[in-house]
Amino acid sequence: MEEVIRIYTDGAASGNPGPGGYGIVMEYKSMRKEMSKGFRYTTNNRMELLSVIDALKSLKRIDLGVVIITDSKYVADAVEKKWVFGWEKKNFAGKKNPDLWKEFLILNRKYKIRIQWVRGHNGHPQNERCDELAVAASRGVLEVDDYYEKIGSKS
């Protein structure tokens, strides 16, 4: 039986675009890790996708199966319905967040990833915790989302 790490993610933005953040809860066996980060000017969808990317980048082992649990239909549908692979073939023409999708695809090819969608704000404990982390991060020390502030917000 394959060992699996479960990664719960959520993103938030106030104003959309505006200050934003993401929250991550990672569970593997009896271990649990939480991460969050805030940005001064971004979008909810960028935070949803960046949470997945940063969680994957933090993994120390590539031999684990990865289950990502998200309340983002944007992320879940793009991957599970394989839309992102079509976008890639067209070099993301007309699509938002190409910088993040390209980074995701590199990581996606490195791991065995499944994505599960859960309804947000519906009492799911890890999803609720991710939301708390994301909102707190959006109100804390904020980093600059260089791509979005310089390029992405104009598209």
Side-chain angles (χ1 to χ4, degrees):
M1 183 175 198
E2 179 183 51
E3 291 186 72
V4 173
I5 184 165
R6 295 193 185 317
I7 300 173
Y8 303 86
T9 65
D10 196 21
S14 179
N16 204 30
Y22 69 69
I24 300 166
V25 173
M26 301 172 72
E27 296 178 342
Y28 174 67
K29 295 186 178 181
S30 64
M31 295 176 277
R32 179 180 170 111
K33 180 178 181 178
E34 294 184 352
M35 300 186 311
S36 62
K37 192 179 286 187
F39 294 86
R40 72 179 185 186
Y41 190 70
T42 191
T43 67
N44 184 65
N45 281 344
R46 282 188 73 76
M47 294 297 93
E48 295 282 4
L49 183 52
L50 187 59
S51 66
V52 171
I53 291 166
D54 282 357
L56 292 170
K57 286 168 59 175
S58 77
L59 295 178
K60 308 263 189 282
R61 294 175 50 187
I62 62 169
D63 61 327
L64 295 175
V66 178
V67 177
I68 297 167
I69 299 97
T70 179
D71 64 3
S72 170
K73 290 295 265 179
Y74 173 68
V75 172
D77 285 351
V79 178
E80 288 301 301
K81 294 181 179 181
K82 305 193 183 320
W83 298 339
V84 69
F85 304 106
W87 301 343
E88 180 183 34
K89 288 178 185 171
K90 296 175 183 172
N91 200 29
F92 299 92
K95 296 300 172 191
K96 294 188 179 200
N97 308 313
D99 60 317
L100 296 180
W101 282 116
K102 289 173 185 176
E103 194 170 0
F104 169 79
L105 286 168
I106 291 167
L107 293 163
N108 184 61
R109 291 180 174 112
K110 187 175 176 181
Y111 297 98
K112 297 175 196 165
I113 297 173
R114 287 181 305 148
I115 296 192
Q116 295 177 353
W117 179 79
V118 296
R119 184 172 306 282
H121 310 288
N122 203 33
H124 187 285
Q126 293 93 333
N127 180 259
E128 295 292 341
R129 179 61 183 148
C130 287
D131 181 65
E132 291 170 6
L133 291 167
V135 170
S138 74
R139 296 177 179 156
V141 176
L142 303 178
E143 296 186 20
V144 175
D145 182 344
D146 285 320
Y147 179 90
Y148 188 74
E149 288 197 26
K150 291 178 182 168
I151 299 163
S153 65
K154 293 162 183 59
S155 59

